[in-house]
Structure formats: structure tokens, C-alpha cells
Amino acid sequence: MLVEFDAELWIWDARRDDSWTFVTLPVDASDEIRDRAAATGPRRGFGSVRVRVTIGGSTWTTSVFPDSVRGAYVLPVKRAVRKAESLGEGDTATVAVEVLD
């Protein structure tokens, strides 16, 4: 499963030190990922799902995490990627997420 979308980068309020920056996946894609994860067996820690992500020229493997407040999965965007792609809080990125689980 591959999902492509544009999303604004935001910083997790509990960790405002700029090390926890995320984008939120679309709700419809999150619902599809949740259904797929439920069908593949036991859930991983915190309900996470392994993914391969591409933003610009950067590709990496990580996990997306369910966020009950937003009703969608959230994707952490690590500092090295933000630096390589010249992205900061409030910027919009084009994101491709491939579900691996």
C-alpha cells in the first residue's frame, strides 16, 4: 500500500525542543492502514505500523503511530531529513508512505 499526500510539519507540544516533528496522514489513508494492520496480526508497540517514507530526495524506514486526538496516524520526520530537504515547522511537504507491515 502506497499513500502520497501533502502535509504541514508540526512539533509535538509535549516536546517543543524541535526534535519531535511530525506530519499527519490523511484520515482516509489512516483508516485503510488501520484496517490493513488489523488484518495482518498482532499490533506492534503503541499501535505503530512500519513504513518506508520518501520526502523529496530522502527515503527512510520508520513507523507511523495512531493519534486519537487527530483521528489519524502521525509520521515522525527526523532532523536529518528536515535539514536535507530544508523543511521546518509550518512548511508543507509532499510525502509518500509505503506500508511495510
Side-chain angles (χ1 to χ4, degrees):
M1 173 181 176
L2 179 65
V3 178
E4 295 184 46
F5 58 96
D6 292 334
E8 183 177 322
L9 279 78
W10 53 272
I11 295 176
W12 185 29
D13 287 335
R15 298 289 294 266
R16 302 276 321 161
D17 63 2
D18 192 35
S19 63
W20 292 90
T21 304
F22 295 84
V23 297
T24 304
L25 278 70
V27 172
D28 58 337
S30 294
D31 290 344
E32 200 173 327
I33 292 169
R34 190 176 299 106
D35 291 346
R36 179 181 170 147
T40 60
R43 296 179 62 131
R44 297 168 50 88
F46 302 104
S48 66
V49 175
R50 288 182 329 121
V51 296
R52 180 176 299 114
V53 180
T54 301
I55 296 177
S58 301
T59 300
W60 74 102
T61 302
T62 188
S63 295
V64 292
F65 300 88
D67 182 341
S68 59
V69 173
R70 290 175 173 78
Y73 280 91
V74 295
L75 166 72
V77 180
K78 58 188 182 178
R79 185 184 314 260
V81 171
R82 296 191 318 269
K83 184 175 179 179
E85 303 302 328
S86 300
L87 293 169
E89 178 184 13
D91 290 340
T92 299
T94 298
V95 183
V97 175
E98 178 186 1
V99 177
L100 301 176
D101 283 342

